[in-house]
Amino acid sequence: MTTGTPGDTYEAVIGLEIHVQLRTEQKLFCPDRTGFGEAPNTNVCPVCLGLPGALPVVNREAVELAVRACLAFGCTVHERSVWARKNYFYPDLPKGYQISQFEEPLATGGVFEVELDDGPDQAGVDRGDGDRDASGSLAVRIRRIHMEEDAGKSIHDRFPEATAVDLNRTGTPLIEMVSEPDLRSPAQVRAWLTGVKQVLEYLQVSDCNMEEGSLRVDANVSIRPAGSQELGTKTELKNMNSFSGVERALAVEIARQRTVVAAGGQVEHETLLWDERRGDVRPMRTKEESHDYRYFPDPDLPPLQVSSALIEAVEAELPELPAARRARFREEYQLPAYDAGVLTARRPLAEYYEQTARATGEPKEASNWIMGPVLAAMKARGLEADAFPVRPSHLAELIELVGKGTINRNVAKDVLDRMLESARDEEGEGSDVRTAGDIVRDEGLAQVSDTGQLQAWVDDALAAHPEEVARFREGESRLQGFFMGEVMKRSRGKADPGEVARLLAERLEAGHHG
């Protein structure tokens, strides 16, 4: 914690409201599509528009996805929850109310913990001011997770002096996760959100695409004297479209509140919008309390009944979650913590690695290849591991060719590039990828270990650079790399590097350079 002004003696208290669009093709109470980017006001019907006489029917898949998320975060799923009407009036809410849950939500309780030093996603997290406990972890309590439908979207920049309304999102199924105010810094918030997003993606509950609105975060933030247990007056931050944006917005708002307090003022209870371009917050409206929404049980919808059998079935099918997979990779494959963190960052990548490691029997070598040239190639092509055309079996063959000495590592990287160039399957399944063995055989890329040929390349390289040879013998040992490069050029990368290094040492020491 910094010191210097009265405001600096105050600590931040932060709670989050995380809105997650469920990964289902239909809306919560009607069969309309939930696709992003379709023509405005085309995915609507009497049900999601709230027209009289429309009959809502709950989307069972959405309920099961919601239950999956609740269980993964350690919450208690209630067999009975109640739909409520949340009343407010905006142009993008045609019914005049949103169907949500209030007094009896789908799930309550739960604690979700992230490791602050267990992978690259946590790099740069400020671990001062209580950002970690003695175990290096950050545990945040979850107050509730409830289901609700989304509202539409008001568009303010499409037409001059007018607001356009697109109701396609109306009725899209969401869950809202509400945390307790257990977070104390913007860095903690980013670390915890990263872990939450990772779990949601592993569960395949949501694609968590913040640019498309599949994951939205509102933050409630206040400050209080350090050591106090009383909560200060909070503000709510909205309009944050990335985790880095959340972190920056919180830092600005905490600084603003400290400045207000230091000047003898009082923080007002209001909703603020984050302006990414200006790097500032601006008031949106006076913050509503729950009674302002006039919640009451929806008279048209019976309580949501989730049987214990369904809860048990969903729990039995939960996948291995990121923290457990990281721990297993470290133990089973003897990977360093950093490697395990990179490789488990996304579920498709973790599965790609595991298939490769098992196929090669060389888990660390598989890790090196995937974390290096493979991830670089995926990033360059904008592909996830499950759409990468070079499948684990293809990569395993390439790694084995290097292990056997058939090709060296530099040639292997070129072979990987040629495999990718050969991929013509637009679906990314990799059916047309040339195998590493075929490329090496057809293009004559096998590593040369013949001593006679290697000696000839070494002698040619030394003979072509007598001045460099003299400088080497006078003590410029760094020229060893230069000579290696010259030999590899002459061999077109096929010379056995180990043998070349040995022969160069012999020639240079003995003075035989042609």
Side-chain angles (χ1 to χ4, degrees):
M1 183 177 296
T2 59
T3 59
T5 68
D8 291 333
T9 64
Y10 281 67
E11 70 173 359
V13 179
I14 305 166
L16 301 176
E17 299 171 8
I18 306 169
H19 303 263
V20 181
Q21 179 176 327
L22 298 174
R23 195 171 186 168
T24 173
E25 295 181 356
Q26 295 185 345
K27 295 186 178 181
L28 186 52
F29 296 107
C30 66
D32 288 329
R33 298 189 307 277
T34 58
F36 177 80
E38 299 192 21
N41 300 309
T42 54
N43 294 342
V44 294
C45 73
V47 173
C48 56
L49 294 177
L51 300 182
L55 178 64
V57 178
V58 176
N59 180 342
R60 178 185 175 91
E61 181 185 17
V63 174
E64 292 180 355
L65 290 172
V67 170
R68 188 187 302 177
C70 295
L71 293 171
F73 289 110
C75 299
T76 299
V77 177
H78 303 297
E79 294 186 27
R80 181 184 187 275
S81 56
V82 175
W83 299 109
R85 291 188 179 183
K86 180 181 181 181
N87 294 271
Y88 58 101
F89 294 93
Y90 285 102
D92 55 15
L93 196 68
K95 295 194 292 284
Y97 63 86
Q98 177 187 24
I99 300 175
S100 184
Q101 294 181 323
F102 183 56
E103 292 183 347
E104 298 183 62
L106 177 64
T108 53
V111 175
F112 179 59
E113 184 173 353
V114 296
E115 297 295 326
L116 296 180
D117 55 355
D118 200 20
D121 286 330
Q122 313 306 341
V125 171
D126 176 8
R127 295 187 172 92
D129 297 344
D131 266 12
R132 61 186 293 179
D133 60 24
S135 64
S137 64
L138 171 65
V140 175
R141 294 169 297 159
I142 297 170
R143 180 179 300 171
R144 56 188 281 142
I145 297 179
H146 64 260
M147 297 189 70
E148 63 184 19
E149 63 175 359
D150 204 353
K153 183 178 181 180
S154 294
I155 304 169
H156 305 291
D157 57 358
R158 185 70 56 84
F159 303 102
E161 300 182 2
T163 294
V165 176
D166 181 2
L167 298 177
N168 279 348
R169 288 190 67 92
T170 303
T172 296
L174 308 175
I175 55 172
E176 180 177 348
M177 177 190 299
V178 181
S179 83
E180 297 289 355
D182 292 343
L183 295 148
R184 296 292 176 267
S185 74
Q188 280 192 356
V189 169
R190 185 170 184 174
W192 195 71
L193 282 174
T194 298
V196 168
K197 177 176 180 286
Q198 195 176 59
V199 168
L200 291 169
E201 290 173 335
Y202 261 67
L203 296 171
Q204 297 181 327
V205 161
S206 173
D207 63 19
C208 295
N209 188 326
M210 295 190 76
E211 292 182 357
E212 296 182 1
S214 299
L215 181 67
R216 287 168 278 169
V217 180
D218 298 335
N220 295 299
V221 57
S222 63
I223 62 173
R224 66 185 180 191
S228 171
Q229 297 303 309
E230 298 294 325
L231 295 176
T233 301
K234 69 181 180 181
T235 58
E236 181 178 19
L237 283 171
K238 290 181 174 290
N239 196 39
M240 300 172 291
N241 299 319
S242 66
F243 288 171
S244 61
V246 173
E247 189 174 22
R248 289 196 300 273
L250 282 167
V252 168
E253 174 57 11
I254 291 167
R256 186 190 72 84
Q257 291 190 21
R258 286 178 171 169
T259 299
V260 169
V261 170
Q266 291 186 339
V267 175
E268 294 186 14
H269 189 43
E270 59 186 342
T271 298
L272 304 170
L273 290 179
W274 167 244
D275 189 322
E276 182 75 34
R277 183 179 60 82
R278 294 172 52 192
D280 200 359
V281 296
R282 55 186 173 84
M284 176 182 177
R285 59 177 179 262
T286 301
K287 180 70 178 85
E288 298 97 338
E289 299 287 359
S290 59
H291 62 261
D292 294 318
Y293 292 122
R294 294 177 291 113
Y295 283 97
F296 65 88
D298 193 302
D300 297 332
L301 293 170
L304 177 62
Q305 303 287 346
V306 180
S307 67
S308 59
L310 174 61
I311 296 171
E312 291 171 3
V314 171
E315 187 167 25
E317 294 177 355
L318 289 178
E320 184 181 35
L321 296 179
R325 182 163 272 186
R326 281 195 297 273
R328 182 171 63 81
F329 276 18
R330 293 175 66 175
E331 180 178 351
E332 182 175 341
Y333 299 118
Q334 296 297 297
L335 293 180
Y338 182 82
D339 291 35
V342 171
L343 296 169
T344 58
R346 298 180 70 85
R347 183 175 173 181
L349 182 63
E351 292 170 353
Y352 186 98
Y353 165 74
E354 191 148 28
Q355 292 174 35
T356 306
R358 289 176 175 173
T360 62
E362 298 288 343
K364 186 60 174 90
E365 192 65 16
S367 172
N368 292 341
W369 271 93
I370 292 172
M371 289 173 57
V374 171
L375 267 179
M378 288 179 185
K379 183 177 181 180
R381 290 161 177 79
L383 295 175
E384 287 281 4
D386 53 1
F388 192 59
V390 176
R391 304 310 304 147
S393 59
H394 300 142
L395 182 60
E397 180 187 11
L398 179 64
I399 292 172
E400 288 171 1
L401 289 174
V402 176
K404 292 176 181 177
T406 305
I407 54 176
N408 61 48
R409 188 173 296 272
N410 288 332
V411 171
K413 292 177 182 177
D414 292 337
V415 172
L416 177 62
D417 290 339
R418 298 184 196 196
M419 293 167 73
L420 288 166
E421 291 170 3
S422 73
R424 296 185 299 274
D425 184 354
E426 294 182 358
E427 298 299 321
E429 298 297 332
S431 59
D432 288 339
V433 172
R434 290 175 66 196
T435 68
D438 287 345
I439 293 172
V440 170
R441 183 189 64 248
D442 296 345
E443 302 187 24
L445 299 176
Q447 181 168 272
V448 175
S449 299
D450 177 71
T451 302
Q453 179 61 72
L454 295 177
Q455 285 178 340
W457 284 327
V458 167
D459 290 343
D460 286 348
L462 297 179
H465 299 282
E467 293 183 6
E468 286 76 9
V469 170
R471 286 162 52 198
F472 178 87
R473 289 175 176 159
E474 291 172 0
E476 288 192 45
S477 57
R478 62 182 178 82
L479 287 169
Q480 174 80 14
F482 168 78
F483 295 128
M484 280 289 297
E486 288 299 306
V487 174
M488 298 308 287
K489 284 180 187 176
R490 284 163 171 73
S491 71
R492 291 169 40 194
K494 295 188 292 183
D496 181 337
E499 277 297 295
V500 170
R502 184 183 66 81
L503 291 171
L504 275 172
E506 288 181 356
R507 289 292 193 273
L508 289 168
E509 290 173 7
H512 300 303
H513 49 84

